[in-house]
Amino acid sequence: MASKSNPNNNKNPQNTEASLIPSINSPIFISSESLHSILSHHSLIQHFHSSLPTVSSTINTPIRQNYPVSPSSSLLLMPSWSSSPSLPYLGVKLVTHFPQNSSLNLPGVHANYVLFSSATGQPLASMDGTVLTLYRTACVSGLASKLLARNDSEVLVMIGSGALAPHLIKAHLAANPSLQKVIIWNRTIKKAIDLAENLQGTNDCSGVCFESNESLEEIIGLGDIVSCATNAEVPLVKGERLKAGAHLDLVGSFMPTMKECDDEAIRRGRVYVDNEAALVEAGELVGAFERGVIRKEDVGGNLVELIRKGDKVGRKNAEEITVFKSVGSAVVDILAAQLVYETYAKNKR
């Protein structure tokens, strides 16, 4: 007589992973408006803080693929997937770069993020990749300032007032509740004035004083945290002007030809990066290595190592200058998409 099989003996790891994915009958589209209602900078910083140390080593992130579709435009594909049961997803960010769109009064960059189940391959969601990238980029910087800036930081200097600037300001405020004042600089001063007026008194920025200033040299030394989000190829931040104990956050550069600060800022500061790609992509660091300002082995560590605390030492004292350089990665893309999707699914129950 044949024995009955025990269903517990037929467990498949993929079935276990699939059971952890919130159940939605068909793929969903999450608009930019929905993203804003789902995400907060505080919640995403907390998600990165708790998730990066445990799952970052399980995430595969191939080199991004860049396809020219015309002499001036391109398509970029940025895939990632995880082998962790707690992150049962596969995701791809698709980005189009059409710089000529400015003549049509359209953005030059558009992006979409597509999320699949890594257990079944089932498509789960598609969401606005541009907004997702703004949140995840800013929250990586916010998390870094939480770990590296002084606990008594009061003044944030924001250099640049593009689409990323308000997100960076809100992320740093969420991570550093001691901040009381934000000073904004932009080459076009009206943009700095408008951003300061738009943020003053909003829910995310209540109790914080906002100012704009057209003298960059004057305000650099005021910043306990100095955050840069520009396309500068000539350094904007002069290291000699940074105050003792300042934290410098560099976001804008992603090619060796770009740099937001000079060699003196790198020399004076203890440098940290979001991931190792920054060592070969960021102009501030590539140039500093070439000129012997610092060596690669002088870099204090990456974001995951900082979170783990035992791996690398962060700020050593109140007088030390810290520098954080980020270039982005598909790791934080998929973690941000996870939070968006799972929050959306939970709210729909």
Side-chain angles (χ1 to χ4, degrees), residues 241-304:
R241 296 190 173 274
L242 290 169
K243 68 189 291 187
H247 172 68
L248 176 59
D249 172 44
L250 303 170
V251 181
S253 76
F254 54 89
M255 295 189 298
T257 56
M258 304 170 72
K259 55 190 305 188
E260 295 184 298
C261 73
D262 64 6
D263 285 348
E264 182 64 9
I266 300 299
R267 187 192 66 78
R268 290 187 68 197
R270 185 164 173 82
V271 178
Y272 298 84
V273 296
D274 61 337
N275 63 80
E276 273 58 42
L279 304 180
V280 295
E281 293 181 1
E284 300 91 348
L285 300 185
V286 172
F289 296 148
E290 290 175 347
R291 289 183 287 275
V293 178
I294 62 169
R295 303 166 301 166
K296 286 186 178 181
E297 45 269 39
D298 294 326
V299 172
N302 62 43
L303 190 57
V304 172

Side-chain angles (χ1 to χ4, degrees), residues 47-110:
H47 183 57
F48 286 162
H49 198 176
S50 61
S51 299
L52 276 169
T54 57
V55 303
S56 60
S57 62
T58 73
I59 300 175
N60 294 282
T61 56
I63 296 174
R64 67 184 178 189
Q65 301 167 55
N66 190 340
Y67 299 102
V69 296
S70 78
S72 60
S73 56
S74 57
L75 168 68
L76 293 85
L77 306 179
M78 305 175 193
S80 60
W81 61 90
S82 170
S83 58
S84 170
S86 65
L87 187 65
Y89 301 110
L90 182 159
V92 184
K93 184 159 72 174
L94 302 100
V95 182
T96 57
H97 181 222
F98 281 64
Q100 68 274 21
N101 278 1
S102 58
S103 64
L104 303 173
N105 201 27
L106 291 172
V109 176
H110 295 271

Side-chain angles (χ1 to χ4, degrees), residues 20-183:
L20 295 174
I21 298 175
S23 177
I24 291 182
N25 293 330
S26 58
I28 55 175
F29 174 72
I30 303 174
S31 66
S32 58
E33 291 77 14
S34 295
L35 271 173
H36 287 302
S37 66
I38 291 169
L39 281 179
S40 73
H41 298 88
H42 181 268
S43 66
L44 189 54
I45 289 170
Q46 291 300 110
H47 183 57
F48 286 162
H49 198 176
S50 61
S51 299
L52 276 169
T54 57
V55 303
S56 60
S57 62
T58 73
I59 300 175
N60 294 282
T61 56
I63 296 174
R64 67 184 178 189
Q65 301 167 55
N66 190 340
Y67 299 102
V69 296
S70 78
S72 60
S73 56
S74 57
L75 168 68
L76 293 85
L77 306 179
M78 305 175 193
S80 60
W81 61 90
S82 170
S83 58
S84 170
S86 65
L87 187 65
Y89 301 110
L90 182 159
V92 184
K93 184 159 72 174
L94 302 100
V95 182
T96 57
H97 181 222
F98 281 64
Q100 68 274 21
N101 278 1
S102 58
S103 64
L104 303 173
N105 201 27
L106 291 172
V109 176
H110 295 271
N112 200 26
Y113 196 90
V114 185
L115 193 68
F116 301 83
S117 162
S118 61
T120 65
Q122 174 191 5
L124 301 172
S126 173
M127 60 193 76
D128 188 310
T130 303
V131 174
L132 188 76
T133 301
L134 292 172
Y135 271 96
R136 66 83 155 145
T137 302
C139 289
V140 165
S141 285
L143 177 53
S145 69
K146 178 180 180 180
L147 298 169
L148 292 171
R150 288 171 48 150
N151 292 332
D152 60 353
S153 296
E154 295 184 352
V155 178
L156 167 65
V157 171
M158 182 70 236
I159 300 176
S161 59
L164 186 55
H167 287 273
L168 281 165
I169 291 169
K170 292 176 183 179
H172 286 302
L173 291 176
N176 302 273
S178 61
L179 287 171
Q180 299 176 14
K181 179 188 287 188
V182 178
I183 307 173

